Amino acid sequence: MDTRPAMRRTLSVRRWAAYATCVWTLVGYGTLKLYWALGGTALTSSAPLPRSAREELVAQTPGAIAGHWISVGLVVVGALAALATVRPWGHVLPRRLLTVPMWIIGCLMVLRACGVLGFGFVGDVMVLTGSVHVDPSDVGIARHLSRVDLLLWSPYFLVWGLLWGTTAWATPVRRPPVRP
């Protein structure tokens, strides 16, 4: 049984969630997107994307590179938003401005991981078991992408989505100061 006061437990959950979300965002997704934006190619051929988008990613088209730079910018904004929930400078922002996007992003990431938005655990298992029709010329790549997504991308997005949700949930309600 945890004997710490409730306020201290809440504070540690808040901090843990915010910092974990920030690190997961920067180190995992941010690093990969920055690497791709700078011309790196690792994991591009295994990205769970429609064929045309994956081909643009592998070919490093200007549109794909621009998309990576936009993602890097969004990663920085997201990391700062997570930190804003626990840092003094973040208290100037309205709570809803932080938590509503966090809830939305967290839900979308969990839905993506589960397969509701296309790729994800359900879709990957369906491809691997042959429950869904895949064009015979694409069976090999579809199964490869499903295995990579099942073992790498879907778990990553599931954890990331849960972290965003936990950060939003743990963000305290900020009460305006009482004036005498």
Side-chain angles (χ1 to χ4, degrees):
M1 179 97 174
D2 195 348
T3 58
R4 293 178 296 166
M7 181 65 126
R8 186 153 167 86
R9 281 193 308 270
T10 303
L11 185 62
S12 65
V13 168
R14 255 185 39 221
R15 286 208 169 123
W16 176 88
Y19 288 121
T21 302
C22 180
V23 168
W24 199 264
T25 300
L26 289 172
V27 174
Y29 197 72
T31 302
L32 180 64
K33 286 297 189 168
L34 180 61
Y35 170 73
W36 285 352
L38 294 172
T41 59
L43 297 175
T44 55
S45 62
S46 296
L49 297 168
R51 180 191 299 216
S52 61
R54 195 174 53 259
E55 287 171 355
E56 285 184 26
L57 182 65
V58 170
Q60 297 183 348
T61 64
I65 298 297
H68 298 319
W69 283 112
I70 290 168
S71 293
V72 169
L74 291 173
V75 160
V76 171
V77 169
L80 290 173
L83 289 177
T85 65
V86 293
R87 303 303 304 161
W89 50 264
H91 293 289
V92 299
L93 299 171
R95 180 180 186 270
R96 285 188 185 161
L97 182 66
L98 294 171
T99 59
V100 169
M102 287 178 188
W103 280 117
I104 292 168
I105 290 167
C107 288
L108 288 174
M109 287 181 178
V110 169
L111 290 173
R112 185 266 180 238
C114 293
V116 176
L117 302 177
F119 283 96
F121 295 123
V122 174
D124 295 334
V125 169
M126 290 176 72
V127 168
L128 292 172
T129 60
S131 301
V132 66
H133 174 72
V134 176
D135 190 72
S137 63
D138 292 334
V139 168
I141 189 68
R143 289 189 176 191
H144 171 72
L145 292 176
S146 291
R147 281 191 295 275
V148 171
D149 188 64
L150 191 62
L151 297 172
L152 175 66
W153 300 111
S154 290
Y156 182 86
F157 279 100
L158 178 63
V159 171
W160 201 14
L162 293 173
L163 284 171
W164 278 116
T166 304
T167 301
W169 169 78
T171 301
V173 175
R174 297 179 183 139
R175 307 216 189 289
V178 179
R179 297 194 179 180

